[in-house]
């Protein structure tokens, strides 16, 4: 039986996705990570509200970031069945610092010199220098800190120079791409700030779009977002690859995402 598993989508998106499907199919929706198992190449998921009752699934749509989702993504990648986004790409992108290292090998905008402090290691900024510390496995604007002077890493920490400029995101969805100018009251910028702006597709920076697509292709991802910083003189810096970018802040992105997923389900 063909059965679709949706992971991480909220009820409004599940409802609107169902409405887009031309042919109803058996569907299991799990807003949080369900228990799964892989047996002889076949993927099974625990039915919601039915303890240890597992049913087979043949396709998966994944949209979420969970604290302990790496084993889940690894199982999906080992399974190798139809998954949106590509499970192996999500698995490779999930660890924050290794993901950046992989992206830096591909981007045109990776000239920024970075450092890495292991757990317990001291880091010192030069006089007049401001640095950014990033740690942990969240791709959600958390676990970031500006510092001057000395700092001791409590866990493996990425160290970057603090760059002033325009924080911008390139959001790719299949053949389409948008640019988001991110805003914020502090040095931290986010698409969730009321001042953030989604530009018309035709106004997206072609250099950044081309670079983002190159990175996405290296990970095998068909949907993703990449954050850049653009200095006042036009110098561009890759900041981060987001394998599960938010699609609900802007209605245009939400509708495009649901259309894309519906089309993928219909073609699979």
């Amino acid at each position: 039986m063909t059965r679709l598993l949706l992971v991480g989508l909220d009820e409004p998106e599940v409802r609107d996705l169902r409405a887009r499907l031309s042919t109803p199919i058996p569907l299991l929706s799990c807003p949080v990570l369900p228990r799964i198992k892989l047996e002889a190449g076949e993927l099974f998921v625990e039915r919601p509200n039915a303890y240890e009752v597992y049913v087979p699934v043949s396709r998966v749509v994944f949209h979420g970031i969970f604290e302990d989702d790496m084993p889940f993504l690894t199982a999906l990648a080992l399974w190798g069945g139809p998954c949106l986004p590509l499970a192996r790409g999500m698995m490779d992108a999930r660890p924050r610092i290794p993901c950046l290292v992989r992206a830096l090998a591909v981007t045109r905008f990776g000239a920024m010199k970075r450092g890495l402090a292991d757990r317990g290691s001291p880091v010192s900024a030069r006089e007049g220098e401001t640095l950014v510390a990033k740690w942990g496995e969240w791709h959600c604007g958390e676990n970031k800190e500006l510092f001057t002077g000395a700092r001791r890493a409590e866990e493996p920490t990425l160290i970057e120079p603090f760059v002033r400029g325009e924080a911008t995101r390139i959001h790719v969805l299949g053949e389409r791409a948008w640019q988001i100018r991110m805003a914020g009251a502090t040095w931290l910028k986010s698409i969730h700030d009321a001042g953030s702006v989604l530009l018309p597709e035709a106004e997206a920076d072609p250099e950044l779009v081309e670079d983002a697509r190159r990175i996405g292709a290296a990970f095998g991802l068909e949907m993703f977002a990449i954050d850049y910083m653009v200095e006042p003189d036009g110098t561009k810096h890759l900041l981060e690859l987001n394998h599960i970018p938010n699609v609900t802040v802007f209605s245009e992105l939400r509708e495009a995402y649901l259309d894309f997923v519906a089309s993928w389900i219909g073609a699979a």
Side-chain angles (χ1 to χ4, degrees), residues 5-257:
L5 172 63
L6 301 179
V7 180
L9 291 176
D10 293 329
E11 180 53 36
E13 284 66 52
V14 175
R15 181 195 63 229
D16 291 352
L17 180 58
R18 285 182 185 270
R20 283 168 162 79
L21 300 179
S22 57
T23 303
I25 62 172
L27 184 154
L28 284 178
S29 176
C30 301
V32 298
L33 282 183
R35 292 205 298 178
I36 59 173
K37 62 179 181 178
L38 183 61
E39 294 182 346
E42 189 170 7
L43 184 66
F44 295 84
V45 62
E46 186 178 42
R47 187 184 291 277
N49 304 316
Y51 180 68
E52 290 196 345
V53 176
Y54 286 82
V55 294
V57 295
S58 55
R59 286 177 279 175
V60 178
V61 173
F62 190 95
H63 191 83
I65 297 179
F66 305 94
E67 185 173 2
D68 297 313
D69 57 11
M70 191 62 172
F72 192 97
L73 297 178
T74 302
L76 291 181
L78 183 61
W79 169 54
C83 183
L84 186 69
L86 181 73
R88 187 180 66 252
M90 291 192 291
M91 180 187 70
D92 289 344
R94 185 62 178 91
R96 186 180 193 177
I97 297 175
C99 171
L100 175 63
V101 173
R102 295 184 181 101
L104 287 172
V106 182
T107 183
R108 288 175 53 198
F109 306 115
M112 178 189 293
K113 299 300 182 183
R114 292 171 164 91
L116 183 67
D118 200 358
R119 180 179 288 106
S121 298
V123 179
S124 296
R126 294 188 293 269
E127 184 176 354
E129 180 182 43
T130 300
L131 298 175
V132 180
K134 298 179 179 180
W135 65 94
E137 298 298 349
W138 290 102
H139 291 253
C140 305
E142 299 182 12
N143 299 339
K144 298 178 182 179
E145 179 181 277
L146 286 184
F147 72 97
T148 57
R151 184 185 189 280
R152 188 173 297 275
E154 296 182 0
E155 58 183 283
T157 301
L158 182 74
I159 307 297
E160 297 177 343
F162 176 58
V163 177
R164 299 184 184 276
E166 180 183 276
T168 194
R169 169 172 292 186
I170 299 297
H171 190 118
V172 176
L173 192 59
E175 297 300 317
R176 304 179 68 181
W178 295 261
Q179 182 172 348
I180 304 170
R181 288 178 177 160
M182 297 186 287
T186 69
W187 70 277
L188 291 170
K189 310 303 178 185
S190 169
I191 68 169
H192 298 279
D193 189 273
S196 294
V197 177
L198 177 70
L199 300 180
E201 290 181 70
E203 296 183 16
D205 183 321
E207 282 192 340
L208 292 182
V209 170
E210 190 274 336
D211 190 69
R213 289 195 181 282
R214 182 188 299 115
I215 296 170
F219 282 82
L221 293 171
E222 51 276 86
M223 56 174 70
F224 58 93
I226 297 186
D227 295 340
Y228 297 90
M229 182 63 73
V230 182
E231 296 189 65
D233 66 359
T235 302
K236 300 167 183 176
H237 303 280
L238 169 73
L239 295 183
E240 188 169 82
L241 164 64
N242 300 274
H243 66 294
I244 304 289
N246 179 282
V247 294
T248 59
V249 169
F250 300 101
S251 59
E252 181 180 346
L253 280 182
R254 180 184 185 275
E255 296 305 300
Y257 171 77

